[in-house]
Amino acid sequence: MTVMFSEAPRSAEHVAGPTRSPSANEWVAQMTELLQPADVHWCTGTSDEFDLLTEKLVQEGSLVRLNSERRPNSFLARSDPRDVARSEERTFICSERPEDAGVTNNWRAPDEMKAELTELFRGSMRGRTMYVVPFSMGPIGSPLAKLGIQITDSPYAVISMQIMTRMGTEAVEQLGPDTEWVPALHSVGYPLIDDSGVRRDDVAWPCNDEKYIVHFPETREIWSYGSGYGGNSLLGKKCFALRIASVLARDEGWMAEHMLIIKVTSPEGRVHHLAAAFPSACGKTNFAMLQPTLPGWKVETIGDDIAWLRPDDDGRLRAINPERGFFGVAPGTGVDTNPTAVATIWGNTIFTNVALTVDGDIWWEGLTDTAPERLADWQGRPWMRGLPAPAAHPNGRFTVPADQCPQIADEWDDPQGVVIDAILFGGRRASNIPLVSEATDWEHGVFLGATLSSEQTAAAEGPVGKLRHDPFAMLPFCGYDMGDYWQHWLDVGEELGDNAPRIFQVNWFRKGADGSFLWPGFGENSRVLDWIVRRLEGSVSAVKSPAGSLPIRDEFALDGLELPAGAWNELFDVDPAAWLQESEQTTELFDRIGATVPKVLRHRLTRLRWDLVSRL
Ligand code: GTP
Ligand code: SPV
Ligand code: MN
C-alpha cells in the first residue's frame, strides 16, 4: 500500500509526511516512534482502500464476507465478548483541575495520565500497520466542520471511520499549515511482538483487558487504548464530536449534543426542523427515520446521533450532523419498527455482533417476527430457535453510509446546516414522564434536559434497566463540569432570545400496570410530532401541569389508533407523590454536582416541589 499524497503542496517548514500541516506531520512522526509499528499507511478514503482492507480482514478471519447477492459489499465482525460496548468506567476527562471535569466524569491529572498511557502505548503497534486517518466532522469545508487525525492499529476502526466520517484525501486537503485539528490516538493494545522480540499470532478481535478512553479537553487530545468497539475506537464520534467538541463549543459559543436531526413537512407543506436528545439506545435512529402513520406527514433524516448547533448571523440556531454514517443498534430494528433502516442497510454495511444465517446473511432479534431455525450467534456458535440466549448481542450494530437512507433529506450534508425550530428531550421511562409535554420557556426546557433520566441500556457496560439521571442524554459524553454545561445552555438561550427553538419532553416507553408499553411507538410517534408542530404553529392549546404543558385529548391526532381504555390518562398522569419522590433524586443530583448548578435551576426545583406539595 503506497502513500497517495506525494503531490500535496509542501511548505518551507514541512517536516515529513504527506500533509501541509507541520504539527500534524510532526505528531505522526512522534507517534510512529512511540508505537513502533511495522509500517505506516496514510488513508485516502477511496473504495479501493476499503476493498483492500476488508479483503485483508476477511483473509485474516476478522470479518465474514456476507452473501454478495443478498448483502453486497457487506461484512460481519465478531468482537471479543469482553469488548462489546462503551466502557464508561474507563472513560476519563483529564482537565488540569478536577472541578473542570466535574463529578459526573472520571478524572485524572493530565501529566500523570499521559505518563502512564505513554508506557502502555510504547511499542503497542509492534508487528502491525499503523493507519493514519485524517477526517472531517461535518461536511468538507463547512464553517461548522472540524478536522481530526486518528492514528489506529485497527483496520476495523479504519473502515468504520471511512463510513462514519469524511475521511482521507478530502479531509487532508482541508488541513493547511495553521489549521486546527484534533489528534486522536488509538491502539487496541495487542502488539504482535513483545519487548524481547518474540512474535505471537494475531487474534480475530485484538483488544486488551486494560482499557483507557481518555480526553484532554484543554489540549484537545484523545488517547484511547485497549478497545476496538464503537465509541471507544471510532474516535470521531463520541470522543471528538461530543466530549472534545462540547468543550470547544463552550469556548466558542455553540453546542455539541447527543441529538438526532429531522426535517418534518406537515400536510400543509410547511417545513420544520427538529433536534432530539435521547440517551443511548433510546430511539434516536428510529425517530430520525420515522415513517409517519398519520396521512400527509413527511419526515426526512438529517442525523441520527450527534448535532452541532450554532447561532447564525440572523440569531437563529443552526445545526449540522457532523457524521456521514449511522452506527445503529441492530436488535429491535425490523420491517415493522424501522423499515427505513432495514432498507438503508441493503449493502455496503459492516455488521458487528449480530447473528449469521446459513445462507450468509445477517439476523437479529426483532429483524423478523420469527427467528430462522438455525443461525450462528454473535460469537459464531451454533444457535437454534427456542434457545433462551439471544442470537445477536443486544448492542449489536450496523455501520452504514447515511446517503443510503431512502428518506435522507437533501439538506443532510448542507455545509450551512438547517435552522432548528424545536428541541426534544426523551428517555426510557416506565413511569412518571408523560408521552409529551412542552416546556413553558427555554429555562424550563433546560430544567427538563438537566433532570432527564432513563433506564440504562446495553449501549454501555453496566446494569441494564437501572434508572439513572442522564442530563441532556450527555452524561457519558459531556467533556466538562455538568453544572457549567447547564449554564452554557442557559447562556445560549439568552443569546437566542425570541429566536430560541421551543423545547419539548417525550417518552415512548411508559408502561401500564401489566408491564406492557402504553404507547405503540415507532411510526405512531408521528401523532406526537403532529402535536408538537401544531404547538409551533399555534393551532393547538395545552393544559399546565408540573411536567409542563400537556395536550388536550380532543386536539390530539388519535384517529385510527386503538388506544386501550384508560391508556390516555395513564400516559399523561402526573402523580404528585411519585414526582415528589423523584424530585428528591433530582435534589441529590444537584447537590452532587454542587456549586456550579445554575441558581435558576435550583429555584425551578424548589418551585416544582411546592407545586407538587400543593397537589398532594
Ligand atoms: P445510540 O446509537 O446508542 O445513541 O441509540 P439510539 O438512540 O439511536 O437508539 P435506537 O434508535 O437504535 O433505538 C434502540 C432501541 O429502541 C431499539 O430496540 C428500538 O426497538 C427501541 N425503540 C425505538 N423507538 C421506539 C418506540 O417508539 N417505542 C418503543 N417501545 N421502542 C422503541
Ligand atoms: C451510544 O452509545 O450512544 C452510541 C454508540 O451512539 S457508541 O458509538 O458506541 O457510543
Ligand atoms: Mn449515541
Side-chain angles (χ1 to χ4, degrees):
M1 287 178 240
T2 46
V3 172
M4 296 282 289
F5 296 99
S6 45
E7 260 87 58
R10 291 171 177 237
S11 59
E13 66 274 45
H14 189 90
V15 183
T19 85
R20 290 180 293 138
S21 162
S23 61
N25 298 338
E26 195 177 321
W27 179 68
V28 174
Q30 274 172 7
M31 289 305 108
T32 312
E33 204 168 302
L34 175 71
L35 302 158
Q36 303 162 29
D39 61 289
V40 177
H41 173 84
W42 284 76
C43 293
T44 58
T46 60
S47 56
D48 283 353
E49 184 177 67
F50 186 87
D51 294 347
L52 268 167
L53 287 174
T54 49
E55 186 50 36
K56 170 184 144 76
L57 286 164
V58 169
Q59 295 296 329
E60 293 170 356
S62 293
L63 282 184
V64 176
R65 185 185 295 279
L66 298 175
N67 181 332
S68 47
E69 262 148 49
R70 292 177 173 276
R71 208 63 68 173
N73 196 30
S74 298
F75 303 87
L76 169 64
R78 295 186 183 119
S79 82
D80 186 302
R82 291 163 300 182
D83 194 21
V84 294
R86 279 183 296 100
S87 340
E88 293 180 2
E89 285 304 311
R90 305 302 305 160
T91 300
F92 296 85
I93 301 296
C94 297
S95 45
E96 289 294 339
R97 306 180 326 152
E99 54 270 38
D100 291 334
V103 293
T104 59
N105 283 310
N106 298 314
W107 177 87
R108 294 273 301 277
D111 287 353
E112 199 184 292
M113 185 58 109
K114 279 194 176 168
E116 189 174 329
L117 287 182
T118 300
E119 290 323 304
L120 283 179
F121 276 108
R122 194 180 303 286
S124 74
M125 294 191 184
R126 275 191 217 130
R128 294 189 183 281
T129 298
M130 172 179 124
Y131 298 90
V132 184
V133 185
F135 62 94
S136 170
M137 297 313 290
I140 292 287
S142 163
L144 285 77
K146 302 268 177 197
L147 298 169
I149 302 179
Q150 177 165 347
I151 281 178
T152 180
D153 52 7
S154 162
Y156 167 86
V158 174
I159 55 175
S160 303
M161 285 292 285
Q162 182 167 358
I163 294 175
M164 295 304 296
T165 72
R166 281 96 177 163
M167 181 273 258
T169 309
E170 57 174 0
V172 105
E173 282 170 357
Q174 295 294 311
L175 199 63
D178 302 313
T179 316
E180 274 184 22
W181 58 281
V182 169
L185 173 59
H186 173 243
S187 173
V188 294
Y190 197 95
L192 296 176
I193 301 170
D194 73 10
D195 287 346
S196 44
V198 179
R199 195 170 262 281
R200 63 171 162 178
D201 286 341
D202 206 353
V203 292
W205 184 277
C207 61
N208 195 305
D209 282 340
E210 199 169 1
K211 294 178 173 54
Y212 283 94
I213 323 298
V214 181
H215 309 75
F216 301 98
E218 282 111 359
T219 51
R220 286 86 158 101
E221 293 170 274
I222 303 159
W223 295 26
S224 169
Y225 181 88
S227 169
Y229 200 89
N232 293 343
S233 76
L234 320 180
L235 303 188
K237 201 172 177 49
K238 305 304 183 173
C239 299
F240 184 167
L242 290 178
R243 298 195 191 97
I244 295 292
S246 60
V247 175
L248 295 170
R250 175 200 61 193
D251 295 348
E252 299 169 2
W254 53 284
M255 308 199 285
E257 301 297 333
H258 193 200
M259 288 179 178
L260 66 93
I261 310 169
I262 52 174
K263 172 183 178 184
V264 183
T265 310
S266 72
E268 300 80 24
R270 284 191 288 270
V271 172
H272 298 280
H273 296 101
L274 273 56
F278 310 158
S280 302
C282 289
K284 287 185 300 302
T285 305
N286 280 264
F287 196 62
M289 299 180 180
L290 186 104
Q291 288 191 18
T293 50
L294 270 191
W297 288 87
K298 187 164 154 192
V299 170
E300 292 165 277
T301 314
I302 295 177
D304 85 324
D305 196 47
I306 300 176
W308 284 359
L309 309 112
R310 192 189 281 260
D312 68 11
D313 293 340
D314 300 325
R316 299 166 308 176
L317 192 63
R318 276 187 179 271
I320 61 163
N321 168 12
E323 303 191 275
R324 77 167 276 273
F326 306 127
F327 181 61
V329 179
T333 303
V335 193
D336 299 330
T337 55
N338 192 346
T340 300
V342 173
T344 304
I345 56 176
W346 61 267
N348 307 319
T349 305
I350 300 166
F351 297 91
T352 305
N353 291 345
V354 303
L356 182 67
T357 64
V358 286
D359 56 357
D361 202 2
I362 40 78
W363 191 83
W364 50 73
E365 281 68 24
L367 178 61
T368 54
D369 283 342
T370 338
E373 226 165 283
R374 285 185 303 124
L375 292 165
D377 76 1
W378 63 278
Q379 296 181 77
R381 301 172 305 193
W383 186 94
M384 275 172 56
R385 191 195 296 154
L387 279 181
H393 187 278
N395 193 36
R397 298 238 169 195
F398 52 80
T399 312
V400 66
D403 59 9
Q404 285 189 198
C405 172
Q407 67 192 70
I408 196 87
D410 287 341
E411 302 87 331
W412 87 274
D413 58 354
D414 185 338
Q416 301 305 321
V418 295
V419 173
I420 297 296
D421 302 294
I423 291 175
L424 279 55
F425 297 118
R428 192 179 275 269
R429 290 297 308 268
S431 63
N432 285 14
I433 305 298
L435 176 63
V436 60
S437 66
E438 186 184 357
T440 45
D441 51 32
W442 181 271
E443 189 190 294
H444 183 223
V446 172
F447 182 80
L448 292 179
T451 56
L452 190 69
S453 32
S454 192
E455 291 145 27
Q456 269 181 258
T457 66
E461 306 278 2
V464 172
K466 187 172 176 243
L467 188 64
R468 69 168 181 184
H469 275 112
D470 189 347
F472 292 82
M474 284 286 278
L475 180 73
F477 307 122
C478 185
Y480 60 102
D481 176 79
M482 191 54 80
D484 291 341
Y485 166 76
W486 296 349
Q487 184 59 51
H488 182 58
W489 262 83
L490 292 167
D491 295 344
V492 172
E494 191 131 320
E495 182 187 341
L496 292 168
D498 289 344
N499 282 324
R502 304 260 287 270
I503 299 181
F504 297 81
Q505 178 163 44
V506 297
N507 175 25
W508 321 137
F509 300 93
R510 195 150 182 181
K511 289 178 175 170
D514 65 351
S516 62
F517 290 118
L518 287 165
W519 180 250
F522 305 105
E524 304 292 6
N525 294 334
S526 55
R527 298 171 189 277
V528 176
L529 213 43
D530 172 284
W531 188 75
I532 290 171
V533 170
R534 302 285 175 220
R535 285 294 292 168
L536 297 179
E537 295 180 343
S539 57
V540 286
S541 49
V543 280
K544 290 239 176 312
S545 89
S549 308
L550 301 178
I552 292 162
R553 188 177 176 144
D554 288 350
E555 290 180 337
F556 196 90
L558 287 173
D559 281 4
L561 184 69
E562 311 258 325
L563 212 53
W568 175 270
N569 288 339
E570 283 188 74
L571 278 166
F572 289 98
D573 183 42
V574 179
D575 174 42
W579 268 66
L580 208 52
Q581 210 166 36
E582 185 158 335
S583 75
E584 302 277 351
Q585 262 115 59
T586 307
T587 307
E588 272 169 37
L589 174 75
F590 283 14
D591 288 348
R592 201 157 70 82
I593 295 171
T596 57
V597 172
K599 287 220 169 45
V600 291
L601 298 187
R602 287 217 179 251
H603 292 156
R604 278 265 169 199
L605 181 58
T606 308
R607 285 219 304 278
L608 172 67
R609 286 173 61 85
W610 279 116
D611 184 16
L612 293 167
V613 167
S614 75
R615 290 165 191 261
L616 280 175

